[in-house]
Amino acid sequence: ESIEALADRVADVALEQCILMDERLTESTMPRSIKDGEFWPSRLGWWCSGFYPGTCWYTYLLTGDERMKDIATRQTSKLRDLSQVYENHDIGFQTMCSFGMQYKITGDESCLPVLEEAAGILASRFNETVGATSSWNRDTVCLVIIDNMMNLELFTWAAKKFGRQEWMDMAI
């Protein structure tokens, strides 16, 4: 099998799987896992909630299938309110995988306010003494986990897009 044929087959399977997943979700759920053959959805605020919309956007890029673009757009829009959540650091990868991909692929400027607001919320978590964004809300300690590295994309992209050098400085 040629590389091209394999790539086409993978794209077809990805399209099929994304469509099947879309049929399982509600307006308030995202994929989480399958346990004992049973589908387990997640709430929209779960830390991985941006990954499925991101997968849909990449599948759209692979296939050019307009059904996939519609699914990706709809799944992304479900996360619009996440840009206002301050409870943890997950906002960077939740919004860049969804709204960031939508903007990069389609140029849809309605994504920009969500991304700018998300970057601002993430920046408000920055602890100058530690030199990092706190992973969770704690009054006495700045807990930082490796997942914070995934937020650097939001900081660096948003710094360039919105002219906010302080966000680039936070990333660095």
Side-chain angles (χ1 to χ4, degrees), residues 9 15 17 21 33 43 45 48 52 65-66 69 81 94 97 112 124 126 136-137 154 158 172:
R9 191 163 50 92
L15 176 66
Q17 291 298 307
M21 181 57 68
S33 186
R43 61 184 173 78
C48 295
Y52 174 63
D65 190 300
E66 289 297 314
K69 182 180 179 185
D81 293 339
Q94 288 169 321
C97 290
L112 294 178
S124 71
F126 189 77
W136 296 283
N137 298 340
L154 176 60
I172 294 168

Side-chain angles (χ1 to χ4, degrees), residues 28-114:
S28 61
T29 61
M30 285 292 176
R32 181 170 184 153
S33 186
I34 294 182
K35 183 176 180 182
D36 299 325
E38 182 181 343
F39 173 66
W40 284 45
S42 72
R43 61 184 173 78
L44 295 179
W46 186 51
W47 73 276
C48 295
S49 62
F51 297 163
Y52 174 63
T55 298
C56 292
W57 284 114
Y58 278 117
T59 303
Y60 171 63
L61 277 178
L62 276 174
T63 65
D65 190 300
E66 289 297 314
R67 294 174 299 170
M68 198 69 259
K69 182 180 179 185
D70 292 343
I71 290 170
T73 301
R74 187 168 18 82
Q75 293 299 329
T76 294
S77 70
K78 290 170 26 177
L79 302 180
R80 186 164 299 279
D81 293 339
L82 288 182
S83 66
Q84 302 166 13
V85 174
Y86 181 75
E87 70 185 50
N88 57 53
H89 69 102
D90 302 335
I91 194 168
F93 42 91
Q94 288 169 321
T95 57
M96 283 305 289
C97 290
S98 54
F99 290 95
M101 287 298 296
Q102 182 172 343
Y103 178 73
K104 289 174 186 179
I105 293 169
T106 69
D108 181 352
E109 292 192 358
S110 72
C111 298
L112 294 178
V114 174

